Amino acid sequence: MGRRRKWEKYRSLGCAPFWRRDPGYPAISLASSLLRRPLSATPVAAASFSECWAAGSRVRLLQAVDTEHTVDSVEWCPLEGCRHLLACGTYQLRKPEDQPADPESKSGLDVDEPQIRLGRLYLYSFNEDSSPCPLVEVQRRDTSAILDMKWCHIAVAGHALLGVADASGSIELLRLVRSENSYTLQPFSRFALGKQCLALSLDWSTGKAGRASDQPLKIISSDSSGQLHLLQAYQAGPGMQAVGTWQAHHFEAWAAAFDYWQTEVVYSGGDDGLLKGWDTRTPGTSVFTSRRHSMGVCSIQSSPHCENILATGSYDEHVLLWDTRSMKQPLADMPMQGGVWRLKWHPFHCHLLLAACMHGGFTIFNCQKAIEENQEAFPVTPSYTLPSSLVYGADWSWLYFRRLPQTHPSFCLGSSPGSDPGAKTADAVYTLKVAAQSPAPCFERLADADGEGGTKHQSGGKLKTPLQPFAEDKNGSQLQASGIKICDCDHYLEAANFDISLLATCSFYDHVLHLWKWESS
């Protein structure tokens, strides 16, 4: 099948890959038109999926936040003491103000005219005192359009670091700075990958626990010209240096990722439909090339829990699970209902895999049988679709739930803004209780005074699509449960209940960040 025909399906759905509308991101025209609608006219969710059961598990929508721009990336901070922080990146394509879009154009854009790629980075705090809307915006920062983000898994020079791949063709590192009452992400260092390219993805070499202290801190990135860039970040202070750059794909290199168990090895996926492995000590020739995916490979993640396990996703609507010791055939082939833009292994549950599947919503897979018995993996949730949207970003929260004895005092011991990231403190425990609403724009599921279920924006305007309130909503809290606490450090891992998890997704058409609670029975 020719490259043009491969993408025909996605063109018709309005979700063609980046360069079909603009060398920057898909689905821009509809997303841009939605931005011009009144907020109350933007649908957020339907009652039919406000609560969903499958294979003994349940997903609940806790909060939906309007990001104003089209949104494509969400990342929870993995460092202890900072795990309540969530970064959200946006990509917005706009015409110059003096060049209004042609109303007769089907796409809403004239591809011959220059476009402006705008981005915004949001930082949210999962706030223990705001259970109706637990995500509270603590910072917004206008940037170049953001295509990917990753937190470093270790503190660098005493700070948490967020790496950002943007449309200016740069990798920027932002350090998390704690003030008396809040957090901010501040510029730390920047590295330009090249001229006239977009930075499409990045990954840190720190994804696996137990990293040696003398191991170099590395970043692998990919760009729109098909190149990979290996960078080394200085651990004592700001700065990055190039270690190597090489041509990996004939077209866009959508994804690049480390093998967390052998960080000299990296993987890449491109618009040419190829999955490749590389030894960065001799990067000129690939270690392997797989043509198992039939369309562009756009998501890759090495398992941080199981050595030799790799997950890949593609526009061909399949997730493949690999044993990297034998790349001829995958361990499992999991069909999706949309192109797989991101894959995320659960930070603690070693067999759970979260997939962001564009127009197919998101799905959670249990891969235990595939890994241990060479059988097919099975979904623990159905494809969880959102109307008129494309799910591009998804991530598990590193916060976890633990059950306390009945005699435990009912008070909160929250991590303070001044706590050191990475410090194993016993006071980073969150208890959720009823309090004031979040100042961040959000949609919340509450019952009206007359008992009618509906979805209200924080400002009070009612949305067209109602959501049925859950039983716990009627009591004023969506997460509160007897003897359940949320923890921000590893001190209580032995008492953790991994059958309950928080996760975030972001959808492109309707520019909404979603917070979910997943429960398995």
Side-chain angles (χ1 to χ4, degrees), residues 41 69 122 145-148 164 181 236 244 260 280 286 305-306 324 332 338 347 417 431 449 456 471 491 505 512 515:
H69 291 180
Y122 291 95
I146 295 171
L147 292 99
D148 194 15
V164 178
N181 297 315
Y260 296 142
T280 58
S286 61
H305 310 292
C306 303
T324 56
T431 182
K456 289 185 177 180
H491 182 80
T505 64
V512 175
L515 176 67

Side-chain angles (χ1 to χ4, degrees), residues 58-332:
R58 174 171 61 179
V59 176
R60 299 181 179 187
L61 177 62
L62 301 181
Q63 183 180 351
V65 180
D66 180 18
T67 59
E68 300 179 8
H69 291 180
T70 49
V71 56
D72 59 1
S73 181
V74 287
E75 295 287 328
W76 290 92
C77 184
L79 295 186
E80 294 180 64
C82 301
R83 290 175 177 172
H84 60 290
L85 296 175
L86 174 68
C88 178
T90 72
Y91 183 111
Q92 184 66 43
L93 182 68
R94 287 182 178 172
K95 296 181 71 67
E97 294 182 0
D98 59 343
Q99 297 176 352
D102 182 0
E104 297 181 359
S105 172
K106 293 182 179 180
S107 68
L109 296 174
D110 184 348
V111 296
D112 295 328
E113 296 293 339
Q115 308 298 327
I116 299 175
R117 302 184 187 94
L118 305 175
R120 181 175 293 160
L121 176 61
Y122 291 95
L123 185 65
Y124 296 96
S125 175
F126 185 89
N127 196 318
E128 57 183 314
D129 295 324
S130 303
S131 57
C133 280
L135 288 180
V136 177
E137 180 186 330
V138 296
Q139 183 189 10
R140 62 173 61 189
R141 181 176 183 269
D142 290 330
T143 67
S144 181
I146 295 171
L147 292 99
D148 194 15
M149 301 187 300
K150 297 286 192 311
W151 291 93
C152 182
H153 295 77
I154 63 171
V156 177
H159 294 271
L161 283 188
L162 179 68
V164 178
D166 66 33
S168 72
S170 297
I171 299 298
E172 183 176 20
L173 302 185
L174 303 170
R175 67 175 182 173
L176 183 67
V177 177
R178 298 166 301 280
S179 60
E180 182 178 353
N181 297 315
S182 188
Y183 297 81
T184 58
L185 285 166
Q186 299 180 4
F188 188 63
S189 60
R190 172 181 285 269
F191 187 92
L193 301 182
K195 296 181 179 180
Q196 297 182 342
C197 74
L198 282 71
L200 298 182
S201 73
L202 83 157
D203 193 21
W204 294 87
S205 61
T206 57
K208 184 179 74 70
R211 171 183 174 272
S213 59
D214 60 346
Q215 186 177 347
L217 182 60
K218 296 180 290 185
I219 297 171
I220 188 68
S221 180
S222 64
D223 71 26
S224 57
S225 67
Q227 289 189 320
L228 298 187
H229 305 263
L230 181 65
L231 310 176
Q232 182 169 333
Y234 302 138
Q235 299 191 53
M240 289 179 281
Q241 67 176 10
V243 177
T245 297
W246 64 96
Q247 192 71 36
H249 297 272
H250 295 299
F251 304 108
E252 300 88 349
W254 295 121
F258 279 99
D259 185 318
Y260 296 142
W261 300 79
Q262 304 177 70
T263 55
E264 297 83 9
V265 175
V266 298
Y267 307 103
S268 66
D271 200 42
D272 50 14
L274 301 181
L275 169 67
K276 295 186 177 185
W278 307 88
D279 187 328
T280 58
R281 294 166 294 190
T282 56
T285 304
S286 61
V287 175
F288 70 83
T289 298
S290 172
R291 294 175 172 81
R292 183 61 174 74
H293 283 292
S294 62
M295 295 170 66
V297 179
C298 44
S299 54
I300 304 171
Q301 195 179 37
S302 169
S303 170
H305 310 292
C306 303
E307 190 173 4
N308 305 314
I309 297 300
L310 183 72
T312 63
S314 166
Y315 283 116
D316 66 8
E317 303 186 356
H318 286 260
V319 172
L320 301 183
L321 205 62
W322 302 88
D323 184 330
T324 56
R325 295 168 295 184
S326 177
M327 294 296 295
K328 292 183 179 181
Q329 292 293 333
L331 292 175

Side-chain angles (χ1 to χ4, degrees), residues 449-468:
D450 59 3
E452 178 186 357
T455 301
K456 289 185 177 180
H457 182 255
Q458 180 175 321
S459 62
K462 188 170 181 179
L463 297 176
K464 291 183 177 180
T465 307
L467 288 175
Q468 299 301 320

